[in-house]
Amino acid sequence: MPTWTTPERPEPPNNPVDERAALEDRLEYQRTTLLLKCGGLTPEQLAERSVPPSSLSLLGLVRHMSGVEAWFHSYDGQPDHMFFWNYVPGATDGFGGISAARAADDLASYQASVERSRDAVRDRGLDEAIPGEDYTLRWIYLHMIEEYARHNGHADLLRERIDGATGE
């Protein structure tokens, strides 16, 4: 895998049809922003911890968000998608155990996690809570938008230190 592809990122509409559409559009925008920050970089650049003393890397952020998507997975009754947190030595939050050699697998896992998230909540109402919890789907959407936005800020700094790219 020479470099990650840079995705197209359409701007969400200013006047969404309803609350659900607004939440989905904003979350997709944030998801795509993270991949946009990684676009055009080699696996070695993605694994680089470019803002010392922080141990964050762009690849670590993608892996972390792959696991955080599990908030949505709670709605499908299947086991958590926590590959990096449970199966990669030293990766208790997705940030450790980074390897450029796994970049393609990490991207595939992230994409599978996001697709599973979409499927798990497609027919759920925003007021539906996670089984056995108080968190509603509405809260999860808001939390995920916040989580992505926070980490996309980190991604800005990491990317700028790697190759000088800024913005968006």
Side-chain angles (χ1 to χ4, degrees):
M1 169 183 234
T3 61
W4 276 18
T5 305
T6 303
E8 292 287 323
R9 186 187 64 180
E11 196 69 33
N14 291 337
N15 53 354
V17 223
D18 58 25
E19 179 185 16
R20 178 69 176 256
L23 293 169
E24 288 175 352
D25 289 346
R26 276 291 149 193
L27 180 57
E28 287 304 320
Y29 182 84
Q30 293 298 330
R31 286 172 172 155
T32 306
T33 298
L34 179 59
L35 295 179
L36 188 69
K37 297 295 175 186
C38 299
L41 296 179
T42 66
E44 292 74 24
Q45 289 172 309
L46 292 166
E48 185 180 337
R49 292 180 167 113
S50 61
V51 184
S54 172
S55 63
L56 291 180
S57 68
L58 289 168
L59 192 55
L61 289 174
V62 169
R63 287 172 47 171
H64 176 72
M65 294 311 297
S66 181
V68 174
E69 287 280 343
W71 279 98
F72 290 115
H73 304 172
S74 300
Y75 286 91
D76 68 10
Q78 302 301 311
D80 281 344
H81 177 88
M82 305 298 279
F83 295 128
F84 308 111
W85 297 5
N86 294 337
Y87 305 117
V88 176
T92 57
D93 55 7
F95 296 120
I98 301 298
S99 168
R102 289 191 43 85
D105 292 335
D106 292 349
L107 176 59
S109 179
Y110 172 77
Q111 291 169 326
S113 185
V114 168
E115 190 58 37
R116 179 177 168 189
S117 293
R118 290 181 189 123
D119 291 344
V121 300
R122 182 168 284 119
D123 298 321
R124 302 289 184 152
L126 292 176
D127 292 326
E128 278 189 65
I130 292 175
E133 299 284 344
D134 292 334
Y135 301 108
T136 64
L137 183 55
R138 177 182 290 103
W139 183 90
I140 293 168
Y141 268 107
L142 292 169
H143 174 72
M144 291 298 291
I145 292 166
E146 171 189 54
E147 182 86 2
Y148 270 100
R150 177 175 161 243
H151 288 310
N152 284 338
H154 298 139
D156 280 337
L157 296 173
L158 293 163
R159 179 66 189 250
E160 184 175 3
R161 292 287 300 184
I162 291 169
D163 68 356
T166 60
E168 300 292 328

